Amino acid sequence: MKRIPDEKCASICGLFCGACPAFPDECHGCMSDFVRDVCKNCNKHGFLNCATKHNVLRCYECNEFPCTKLQEFSKTPVINGICNHANVVPDSMRMKKVGINQWIEKKIEEHKCPKCGELISWYDTNTHTCKQ
């Protein structure tokens, strides 16, 4: 059975890890114990260190939210014409408003193929080929 995204797929910065091309074979979300090397510790962007420094689990809990670092992060990368980081600020605000579990349910619905039920990755949103 395919792994279903859970609260560990609600990232520090507001990304939905369940829509990552690495989910679930290479990673179970950045808040899980099975994280792909490129995401461990958010080294490049420093969100893990920043959250720790501000004593929060996710960016939306911080008094400085949305900070310049997060706003800059929301502009790149663009792959297949899609910036998967574009919604980190509004998604974080939504996470804060409705709670992690309801946010995850909504993100699953947004990224699920209506025909085959497979999760569609960020970069395949416009090019998904249904398995049915």
Side-chain angles (χ1 to χ4, degrees):
M1 186 173 131
K2 197 87 166 161
R3 183 176 175 83
I4 305 294
D6 58 22
E7 69 278 351
K8 293 176 175 121
C9 288
S11 72
I12 296 166
C13 64
L15 283 175
F16 173 55
C17 298
C20 177
F23 182 86
D25 299 329
E26 301 169 37
C27 185
H28 291 171
C30 74
M31 303 292 275
S32 75
D33 292 333
F34 183 57
V35 182
R36 68 187 186 144
D37 287 340
V38 74
C39 296
K40 283 183 182 171
N41 298 325
C42 295
N43 287 334
K44 182 178 178 187
H45 303 289
F47 292 119
L48 179 60
N49 291 338
C50 188
T52 301
K53 175 182 161 190
H54 288 91
N55 200 30
V56 298
L57 187 58
R58 294 185 173 87
C59 291
Y60 71 78
E61 299 169 323
C62 182
N63 291 333
E64 296 177 24
F65 173 82
C67 66
T68 304
K69 181 187 299 197
L70 189 62
Q71 291 173 346
E72 288 301 313
F73 178 74
S74 73
K75 298 174 185 173
T76 59
V78 177
I79 298 173
N80 293 343
I82 297 168
C83 177
N84 67 304
H85 299 168
N87 293 316
V88 292
V89 172
D91 274 349
S92 291
M93 291 167 55
R94 181 83 178 142
M95 221 187 285
K96 181 178 183 176
K97 182 179 179 181
V98 303
I100 302 298
N101 290 329
Q102 187 175 346
W103 182 83
I104 289 288
E105 288 175 18
K106 178 71 172 164
K107 297 312 282 182
I108 290 171
E109 286 305 310
E110 287 176 12
H111 289 277
K112 188 188 292 186
C113 174
K115 293 181 182 175
C116 68
E118 290 291 317
L119 284 175
I120 303 168
S121 82
W122 302 306
Y123 305 124
D124 295 331
T125 301
N126 298 328
T127 59
H128 173 68
T129 304
C130 185
K131 293 181 180 177
Q132 281 193 349

